[in-house]
Amino acid sequence: MKKLKQTADLIQGIEDLLSKGRYPLTGEDEVLLKSCLSELKQMQSDNADVLGSIEKVTKWLLLLFEVCDKFKDLI
């Protein structure tokens, strides 16, 4: 969870840097920052997909164990 927070903080920092224009950025610097921002957002969404998948698998496993336990009681 801490890693997701760090990624979100990096994304916010880069967005702030690009929007406020506090520092004179060359066109190349701006392109690099936008590329980094894009990669961080993709990484963040991939992490969310993985966590969602793990959650689904866990729920299915718990359901499977519960069903197996019920059948065991019947036998």
Side-chain angles (χ1 to χ4, degrees), residues 41-57:
K41 285 181 178 180
Q42 180 63 41
M43 197 170 79
Q44 188 177 38
S45 94
D46 288 347
N47 285 339
D49 292 343
V50 168
L51 291 175
S53 297
I54 289 171
E55 183 180 0
K56 287 179 185 176
V57 167

Side-chain angles (χ1 to χ4, degrees), residues 9-73:
D9 289 344
L10 285 170
I11 289 170
Q12 184 63 45
I14 292 172
E15 287 175 340
D16 286 348
L17 186 67
L18 288 171
S19 69
K20 292 180 182 174
R22 290 183 284 177
Y23 303 102
L25 298 173
T26 66
E28 193 175 294
D29 291 339
E30 191 172 337
V31 168
L32 179 60
L33 283 173
K34 286 181 179 179
S35 176
C36 289
L37 187 59
S38 169
E39 289 295 320
L40 285 169
K41 285 181 178 180
Q42 180 63 41
M43 197 170 79
Q44 188 177 38
S45 94
D46 288 347
N47 285 339
D49 292 343
V50 168
L51 291 175
S53 297
I54 289 171
E55 183 180 0
K56 287 179 185 176
V57 167
T58 303
K59 285 181 181 179
W60 279 104
L61 284 173
L62 288 172
L63 183 62
L64 176 66
F65 291 141
E66 187 177 325
V67 168
C68 288
D69 192 43
K70 299 282 185 195
F71 279 123
K72 185 179 79 174
D73 290 343

